[in-house]
Amino acid sequence: MSKLTQRKSMDYIKKQYRETRKMPGSWYLSNYKYKYNITHLQPFLKKLKEKKLVGLKCSGCNTVYYPPRFVCGKCLVKPNRWVDLRETGKVSTFAIAYLKDPETGEIQEKPMVLVHHDGADTASIAQLNPEVDFKDTYIGMPIKAHWAENPVGGLMDVEYYDLMKDDAKDLDLPED
Ligand SMILES: [Zn+2]
């Protein structure tokens, strides 16, 4: 018998349990509340209020995390050195999220980008300036943080990202 037919003969068979009781019910995940400790983010949030960006550097592997992470996933230690980051960066990747309006049922397009800040080793999800035609987005596109008028020291202080002039020149290929 070949391996393939062997596996086929071992198809999963669902065990039939005797039903004892039936209850109507739903599982509303939104009813659950999670606690997220942001103590380690305090210096980061303080800097945001001053319109400055900082990343958290791991002393074990020198990875600069932006947004700051509580534990380095590679070394399993607490990154503990704050480093200044530029407010410029590049688009790592992009996608459009389709969100359904809970009231009207209308589908809304929400363009999202993954921003790789200059000086950081990780990327974060953000939005581009709403005036940007999303069709023009490309990987490596230079962008710059657009600050809220009155930063409050929160994650929304960078409202979105503005485009920057791309000074990379196209390859000058000789014509045949
Ligand atoms: Zn590390």
Side-chain angles (χ1 to χ4, degrees):
M1 202 191 270
S2 78
K3 256 196 177 156
L4 200 78
T5 48
Q6 236 177 14
R7 186 160 298 164
K8 230 178 175 176
S9 64
M10 284 163 57
D11 270 348
Y12 173 71
I13 298 162
K14 193 170 189 276
K15 206 171 171 183
Q16 294 290 326
Y17 288 101
R18 192 166 60 90
E19 238 174 55
T20 53
R21 200 188 229 182
K22 225 176 204 169
M23 284 171 80
S26 313
W27 193 4
Y28 294 109
L29 284 176
S30 56
N31 285 353
Y32 290 79
K33 289 198 170 75
Y34 296 96
K35 232 181 192 175
Y36 182 65
N37 191 346
I38 59 159
T39 330
H40 71 292
L41 289 179
Q42 287 312 329
F44 167 63
L45 299 174
K46 227 171 115 188
K47 285 278 184 181
L48 279 178
K49 209 170 175 179
E50 302 164 19
K51 295 193 182 183
K52 280 186 182 125
L53 292 174
V54 285
L56 199 48
K57 191 173 187 174
C58 171
S59 53
C61 63
N62 283 336
T63 302
V64 176
Y65 288 101
Y66 179 87
R69 276 185 59 170
F70 190 51
V71 175
C72 173
K74 296 175 196 164
C75 315
L76 304 179
V77 297
K78 280 185 187 179
N80 55 5
R81 274 182 292 159
W82 292 97
V83 290
D84 290 327
L85 296 180
R86 295 190 194 176
E87 53 180 15
T88 54
K90 283 185 169 59
V91 171
S92 296
T93 189
F94 54 95
I96 294 182
Y98 293 91
L99 301 175
K100 199 174 182 179
D101 191 302
E103 276 164 28
T104 61
E106 241 174 84
I107 305 281
Q108 281 182 330
E109 285 187 6
K110 199 174 182 192
M112 311 289 289
V113 288
L114 200 64
V115 179
H116 185 180
H117 267 278
D118 292 336
D121 292 305
T122 57
S124 57
I125 294 176
Q127 287 178 57
L128 286 183
N129 186 330
E131 284 167 24
V132 175
D133 187 352
F134 200 63
K135 288 190 202 88
D136 298 336
T137 314
Y138 57 94
I139 291 172
M141 187 167 76
I143 47 176
K144 190 181 173 203
H146 184 107
W147 294 94
E149 216 171 295
N150 301 305
V152 291
L155 292 172
M156 297 310 291
D157 284 347
V158 176
E159 287 181 328
Y160 49 79
Y161 285 80
D162 288 321
L163 295 197
M164 281 171 66
K165 197 177 169 289
D166 193 348
D167 51 9
K169 287 195 180 71
D170 285 333
L171 279 177
D172 228 352
L173 294 171
E175 285 172 43
D176 292 322

